Every structure is written in structure tokens, then in C-alpha cells.
Amino acid sequence: MKRTVFSIILLGSLLLSMGDLYSQEVILSGELRPRYEYQHGYKTLFPDNQTAANFVSQRSRLNAFYANSSFSTYLSIQNVRVWGDVNQLNVQDVNGFAIHEAWGEIKFYDFLYLKIGRQEISYDDQRIFGAVNWAQQARSHDAAIFKFAFGKKNKLDVGFAYNAMSESLYKVNYTLANYKTIQWLHYHGDFGKSGLSFLFLNNGMAFDNNPDTTVVDQKVAFSQTIGPRYTFDGDKIDVSAAAYYQGGKNANNRNLSAYYFSAEVNFNLVKSFTFGLGGEYLSGTPTIDQADKSKNDQSFTPLYGTNHKFNGFMDYFYVGNHAGNVGLVDIFLPLKYSVKKFTFQLTPHYFMSAATVSSPVVVGETKTWVDYSNGLGTEIDFTIDWAVTKSVVITGGYSQMFATETMQVIKYPKDVTADFYQNTNNWAYIMVTFKPTFFKKEFEK
């Protein structure tokens, strides 16, 4: 910790000493974000004979930004902890400090930049690429991005990344749950009140080409995600719609053919109050076909998106779960009211499976399948934001899931006769976010 603080102070001192040489900007900032959570059915149905979880987690960050007319750099160091996870007289933290972001950006021309290093990547509504800011650790990538700017209203990113376990003298199998390599292209253009984006992502996942032998023969399976997104930002109405197709191979080298559709409209007919209607469709694979490698994987995966932002805040879908499953249909009704420093949001969701949910029944040597209704349940999310100051925000929320028997089958496929779905499944939190700016200065040449 002392070395980290000293390094940032030293960096700031060096930058200040160069103030008479270049036109510069220097910003030293931080973030402290403790969050209390009560979990009684978060992510999955709460089983019988268990007790709710209560804990406080905290993100602590130190950030340093420097820019001149030729390049810019950014460094973000963070510690993520749970209160009490080490002794008070601890010698070492459980997680310690980690580099969340460490990137540099070179300006070649007014229309061409190269951003390289560890960085957050967020596009559009963060459905496919997002920073996952809700998670205390968040998400960052080791990547390089060529950024093209065609005027002020048209931008094109061309990016790539290649991961390895370590420096080595010969090939070493990649065993982490990350991609082995990715390449992508993202375009966004503004046309009056309308916006249009287009994404192409080539995602490479390592897999064992010889799973039936003791020798791992690792190859890379590539999937492609491609599609547009449209937005309209009017005075009284906002509209968004997106459609993506996923093809190629999934992480197990199985043929993939999946779809995503979304549409949302929000009305602001009364001052400080908005209401809307939206829906998402993520295709899925019927339960019966999920183990059949001869059939296509039809399950759409939102890959590296900020999934907590979608499909209910209780994270039943696509937050470390539900991948390769029966898909999802989400119909939601967002309501939002703002008054002075407070913002209140209420969003009911109705969930259905996109593909048929089934459960096997074995009688003697005969195996049959029982199909279930597509209805998964209803979730209600309520949140309050209080902007105490520009740098301090207090947020609280409560969510409850009213699940169906089909949700039981999805979440507990080996215990489908249990009635966990009838238990009270809820979740609550309160979070305080501090974002101080310790130092900010612009130096003219």
C-alpha cells in the first residue's frame, strides 16, 4: 500500500516538474465504495434450512491520469475486500492490490489513436462489451484498440487481444476462463437525434481437441457475434433497438447458431417522470438438446457485457450463470421519478424461457422427458439514489423474485421436486460511493 501511494505521488511530482515543457493535464482521483448486502435468494432460489447472508464488501481505488498533445496515460489501482475477511492485525490482505487499468493512448493524427494496455471496454448499452461496474472488481481487458474518428459524429474502433498464461519458451495451454484471443470492430455514428452502431466480434476460446485422452491437445474455437443497434433520443420519447447473431463454434467447439433481439421505448411526458416498456429475447437450447453435441448450440451469450444491468438486479440470468441454457424472454416496465437530489426507480420484469424446459423421468430402463411451462416468474426491482454532493452518492435497493416451478427445474435440475421457488426469495443493499478528486491541473505550453 505504501509503495502504491508513493508511486502515485512520485508520478504526480514528475508530471508537475514538466509543466513548462508541454501543454498537459494531470488528474489524481480516487473511489471508495462500501456496500452492504442482504441475500436471501440472490442469483438462485433460496433452499430450505439455510440462513440469509449478510456482508459488507468494499472497492478502494487510486487513479492517475496524464495527457498532453501527443499521448495520454491512465493508471487505476484497486483493492477489493469484504469487511472482516482478515484479522485486524493482518500482515497481508486476502486480495491485496491489483491493477484494474493501466493504458496509454497515442495520438498519431487527429483522426487516429492507438489505446493499448489493460483497460475497460464499454460500447453502446454495454450488452456485449461493458465495464461490469456493479461488481466491486469490475472487468478490464488486456487489449489494443485502433480508434478512428471521422469528424465528431462517426467513430470506428478496431481492437484485438491475445492472452497467455505466462512468458514461456514453448506452447503452454491456456487454462483460465477468459478468451484466448479476440478481434472486434465497433462503429458508432450520430445522425441528428438518432444513433447507429454496428458490432463484429470474433471470440476465440481454448478447448481440448482430444478430451478422451490424458494428453491435452488445445485448439481455439471461434464464434462470431454481429449486429446493429439503433437509438432515438427525442424530447418526449427515447427509443432503442438491437439485433445480434452468434455463429461459428462455442467454447466446446460445438456448432453455434443463436439470436438476440431487444427493443425499448421510454416516455417523458411529465417533468421528472419517465415510464416505458421494453423486451429482450435471447435464444436458447431446449433442455433435451443441450447434451446432444450433434445438434447446434442455440443459446445466445452476452459475452463481456454488464449483465447486472439487464434481466433484473437479482442476477438470475447471465451473471456467472445460465450460459448454454434455455435462453430468456424478459418483458419489463421501467418507471423513474426524480426530485431534487433523489431518483426513484421501479422496474417489474416478467421472465420466460426462450426454449422448452424439460426434466428427465426414468422408470425402470425407460427414460422419458416431462415438459414444463415457459413462465419463469416475476421480479420487482426498486432503487433509490441520493446525490448528497457531486462526489458522494448513496444508493439503496430492494428486489423480490416470485418464481415458478419451471425456475426450480432450471436452477436445481437434480432436485426438481423441491419447492424452493415457493420460499421468500429477496435481496437488498445499500451502497455509498465516494469519488474524490485529489488534484486536477491543466498546464499551458
Side-chain angles (χ1 to χ4, degrees):
M1 175 64 181
K2 291 181 180 179
R3 291 182 179 179
T4 300
V5 175
F6 176 77
S7 298
I8 292 180
I9 294 174
L10 179 61
L11 173 62
S13 301
L14 290 174
L15 296 179
L16 290 174
S17 67
M18 298 168 59
D20 58 343
L21 300 178
Y22 300 99
S23 174
Q24 304 173 21
E25 181 181 14
V26 179
I27 302 174
L28 299 178
S29 63
E31 181 182 11
L32 298 174
R33 197 177 77 169
R35 180 172 71 217
Y36 162 77
E37 292 186 58
Y38 165 84
Q39 296 188 358
H40 191 281
Y42 175 75
K43 277 195 176 183
T44 191
L45 301 173
F46 199 75
D48 297 333
N49 303 318
Q50 294 294 325
T51 304
N54 293 269
F55 58 87
V56 178
S57 62
Q58 180 170 325
R59 170 201 290 175
S60 305
R61 282 184 182 171
L62 291 171
N63 309 311
F65 175 77
Y66 167 80
N68 63 27
S69 58
S70 300
F71 71 92
S72 60
T73 60
Y74 183 76
L75 175 65
S76 179
I77 300 173
Q78 72 178 14
N79 170 260
V80 175
R81 64 187 305 113
V82 172
W83 285 11
D85 62 359
V86 295
N87 292 325
Q88 293 175 347
L89 298 176
N90 67 299
V91 176
Q92 184 175 355
D93 279 340
V94 172
N95 295 317
F97 273 81
I99 300 295
H100 176 58
E101 291 191 86
W103 53 261
E105 186 174 77
I106 306 170
K107 179 182 178 181
F108 294 113
Y109 304 98
D110 289 340
F111 63 88
L112 176 60
Y113 294 74
L114 171 61
K115 186 176 181 181
I116 188 167
R118 173 157 291 221
Q119 56 191 286
E120 292 183 348
I121 301 175
S122 295
Y123 292 126
D124 304 320
D125 61 348
Q126 300 191 47
R127 196 46 168 142
I128 307 299
F129 270 114
V132 197
N133 189 56
W134 169 259
Q136 297 286 36
Q137 72 277 13
R139 185 199 298 275
S140 54
H141 303 255
D142 299 313
I145 307 175
F146 286 97
K147 294 178 170 289
F148 299 86
F150 305 98
K152 295 182 179 180
K153 297 184 177 181
N154 293 274
K155 298 179 180 179
L156 174 67
D157 283 6
V158 179
F160 61 92
Y162 185 87
N163 291 333
M165 294 297 297
S166 64
E167 297 182 10
S168 61
L169 299 178
Y170 48 87
K171 178 181 175 181
V172 175
N173 290 326
Y174 192 73
T175 58
L176 298 182
N178 303 323
Y179 50 79
K180 174 63 178 176
T181 179
I182 57 172
Q183 304 83 38
W184 73 92
L185 178 152
H186 179 269
Y187 163 81
H188 179 79
D190 292 315
F191 306 92
K193 294 183 178 181
S194 296
L196 180 64
S197 297
F198 180 85
L199 174 69
F200 173 80
L201 169 62
N202 189 43
N203 188 63
M205 301 295 294
F207 74 100
D208 184 3
N209 193 43
N210 256 325
D212 298 326
T213 67
T214 57
V215 179
V216 177
D217 179 21
Q218 195 171 81
K219 304 292 184 182
V220 178
F222 287 94
S223 67
Q224 294 77 43
T225 302
I226 182 171
R229 183 172 186 268
Y230 171 80
T231 59
F232 175 80
D233 187 8
D235 297 330
K236 297 292 184 179
I237 183 173
D238 297 332
V239 177
S240 65
Y244 298 105
Y245 171 75
Q246 277 182 348
K249 302 284 188 175
N250 68 9
N252 296 315
N253 201 39
R254 181 175 170 183
N255 288 334
L256 173 66
S257 181
Y259 300 87
Y260 169 91
F261 302 100
S262 71
E264 183 177 355
V265 57
N266 286 283
F267 301 92
N268 185 18
L269 305 180
V270 180
K271 183 179 180 180
S272 301
F273 177 72
T274 62
F275 66 95
L277 177 65
E280 274 197 317
Y281 172 88
L282 297 90
S283 66
T285 307
T287 307
I288 297 176
D289 296 337
Q290 289 175 14
D292 189 347
K293 296 182 180 180
S294 67
K295 295 185 178 180
N296 286 350
D297 178 2
Q298 303 172 58
S299 301
F300 187 92
T301 303
L303 294 174
Y304 312 111
T306 303
N307 295 328
H308 176 78
K309 180 183 175 184
F310 303 87
N311 313 135
F313 292 154
M314 291 183 72
D315 293 343
Y316 270 55
F317 309 101
Y318 302 108
V319 182
N321 56 45
H322 205 65
N325 215 311
V326 292
L328 185 68
V329 178
D330 178 9
I331 307 299
F332 53 94
L333 180 67
L335 307 171
K336 182 178 179 180
Y337 176 68
S338 300
V339 54
K340 296 184 178 179
K341 295 183 177 182
F342 291 88
T343 300
F344 303 87
Q345 296 185 70
L346 178 68
T347 306
H349 294 260
Y350 178 67
F351 301 118
M352 296 179 290
S353 64
T356 302
V357 178
S358 306
S359 179
V361 176
V362 178
V363 179
E365 296 181 356
T366 303
K367 180 178 180 180
T368 60
W369 291 86
V370 176
D371 295 340
Y372 289 79
S373 166
N374 285 56
L376 298 177
T378 300
E379 180 179 328
I380 298 177
D381 298 325
F382 177 68
T383 60
I384 302 175
D385 290 331
W386 177 19
V388 182
T389 70
K390 291 183 178 180
S391 301
V392 181
V393 177
I394 300 176
T395 305
Y398 175 84
S399 299
Q400 183 147 347
M401 171 68 75
F402 302 93
T404 67
E405 184 181 12
T406 309
M407 185 77 83
Q408 175 79 35
V409 176
I410 289 177
K411 292 297 183 180
Y412 294 90
K414 296 182 180 180
D415 199 1
V416 299
T417 59
D419 58 357
F420 302 159
Y421 70 96
Q422 295 182 358
N423 294 340
T424 298
N425 292 283
N426 56 3
W427 168 72
Y429 76 96
I430 185 167
M431 179 171 68
V432 185
T433 304
F434 302 87
K435 286 190 173 183
T437 299
F438 304 122
F439 178 84
K440 182 176 181 179
K441 185 70 175 180
E442 292 185 9
F443 302 90
E444 297 297 331
K445 182 176 180 180

